[in-house]
Amino acid sequence: MVTLKQLAKELNVSISTVSKALNNSVEIGEDTARRVKELAELYNYKPNKVALSLKNNKTKTIGVIIPNILNRFLAKVLFGIEREATKQGYNIITYISNESLDKEKASLQLLANGSVDGFILSVAEESQMKNEVEHFKRTIKQGLPIVMFDRVAHDVLCDKVIVDDFDATYNATKSLIEEGRKKIVFISNINDISVGKLRERGYNKAILETGSLEPFVLKIKKKDDHQKKIKSLFKKNKNIDGIIAADSSSGIIALNTAVNFGFKVPKDISVIAFASKSESNHTLPRLTTIRQHAKIIGANAAELLINRIQNTGLDKDVKTKIVKTSLIKSKSTL
């Protein structure tokens, strides 16, 4: 593999001149720059990234840890991270924790050995359930910044990117109350994670503010049969006229079940769920959704981390960026 030293020797110039020419420095004349680039191309010269990272003490690589690659929202956040990182000249290494605390710890430990300059992550469900945060604090103490998104650990002092989960659910519930709905059910299968709890609180606040309506929450656990639980809900409660779903699968199943039970949507019942545009396009009638703007979350997370990496000498306060959701009305609400 040809080196800068070999290129410099053949061209009878300094190593510094070759390096500057390849990096389009204005200090190098046009003719010299052309000669250097032609020879580099002839020999198929590629910079030694390991040597560069040792010299600059930077890998230009970000570690990304996500809990579930099959989750459409998380996959879109990853897309946003990758696009922004590439734009700023960074690569990403992605690990999947599969909601496991041990896998999350192992991923951090493996990449914190000099492979990456920092981390972007969404906290695993098991970590949140056990309230385990020491592995994050240790990583930050090593000098590796962390940016958390969506599911965050509030006890960890780091930059975060979140959506307005509480306000989004509060406003969605209020919109059903304004339609005149009297029996609004909150359905969730993300009860053990921070965003699920915030969404439930937003729903409860809107219901209790009326002074006349009662909260009705259906929590679906991982071991439960999702469809069976929602069918049972409709069998036992014929007067349901509104659904707020904390996740897309609960919203889609609730909408389909309502239709199968003979409810006219939205005349008899309205349904709103946290879901993407593509998911709402596959329901009949089309689902009214709370959009989280996943790609924007990813871009913001990458931007915050790269800014933190490039300004390590500055004592900057940590930031929490809140990405506003959008309530996109469609055919499942009035």
Side-chain angles (χ1 to χ4, degrees), residues 170 173-174 176-178 181-182 184 203-215:
Y170 172 81
T173 309
K174 290 278 282 185
L176 293 192
I177 293 165
E178 285 162 12
R181 304 301 180 182
K182 302 297 182 190
I184 303 167
Y203 159 81
N204 281 329
K205 183 173 188 282
I207 293 292
L208 293 171
E209 273 182 359
T210 64
S212 57
L213 303 183
E214 289 291 326

Side-chain angles (χ1 to χ4, degrees), residues 88-104:
Q88 298 208 38
Y90 281 74
N91 298 307
I92 67 168
I93 297 175
T94 308
Y95 275 70
I96 317 300
S97 69
N98 277 331
E99 307 291 9
S100 160
L101 170 61
D102 287 340
K103 280 193 175 183
E104 188 173 74

Side-chain angles (χ1 to χ4, degrees), residues 33 145 176 304 318 327:
L176 293 192
L304 272 175
V318 297
L327 179 62

